[in-house]
Amino acid sequence: MRFDTKIGIVVRADLAAWQQLNVTAFLASAVAGGVPETIGEPYEDGSGNSYLPMFRQPVLVYVGAMEDLRAVREKASGRGMDVAVYIEEMFKTGHDADNRAAVRAVEADELALVGVAVHGPKNGVDKVLKGLALHP
């Protein structure tokens, strides 16, 4: 199936594996919460057990250096795409309010990015993520 939109997540390559997974999960939740039309219908198995809905489309995960993440954030924001960020300081905070305060305390071009998620038109997201390697 072809989709008109694309979800891409970029994590910093120098993070520990658990950090990359944690950042990816948080950024995916940002897209799900901020762009509700990306979510499909709930699942049900043959026994009648219900399961939470998931994204209706694939999520591609890439890796890059901090400069790459900054470029992705800047290009995606400039194109009016939906963007989520995760910064180094968020590894030290204890809850959502502190996370928002940590991001708010830093100018956009100075964010110590460890992850960025983008959602938008497929061709635009492809251009924003061009040259990045898929996560191994």
Side-chain angles (χ1 to χ4, degrees):
M1 178 175 220
R2 306 280 304 174
F3 296 94
D4 293 338
T5 61
K6 187 170 191 175
I7 300 168
I9 296 176
V10 187
V11 294
R12 235 176 48 204
D14 63 344
L15 298 177
W18 74 266
Q19 291 173 313
Q20 289 181 341
L21 291 169
N22 183 266
V23 169
T24 300
F26 272 98
L27 291 172
S29 75
V31 175
V35 191
E37 63 271 18
T38 61
I39 301 299
E41 296 296 321
Y43 288 75
E44 184 176 304
D45 64 27
S47 299
N49 298 304
S50 297
Y51 302 98
L52 295 171
M54 293 186 262
F55 286 123
R56 297 180 310 113
Q57 63 190 94
V59 178
L60 298 174
V61 182
Y62 301 81
V63 292
M66 186 178 318
E67 302 80 42
D68 298 320
L69 276 69
R70 285 180 171 164
V72 166
R73 188 211 59 80
E74 185 175 327
K75 289 180 211 174
S77 293
R79 290 175 171 264
M81 295 178 180
D82 301 307
V83 179
V85 297
Y86 198 106
I87 63 172
E88 287 178 3
E89 185 62 30
M90 291 165 72
F91 287 128
K92 302 172 192 160
T93 61
H95 54 81
D96 193 45
D98 286 347
N99 288 344
R100 287 193 309 279
V103 173
R104 190 177 306 112
V106 183
E107 296 291 324
D109 59 347
E110 296 297 319
L111 292 169
L113 295 170
V114 295
V116 178
V118 296
H119 170 265
K122 183 184 179 315
N123 62 345
V125 173
D126 285 342
K127 289 177 183 175
V128 166
L129 301 176
K130 186 176 182 175
L132 293 175
L134 284 170
H135 194 286

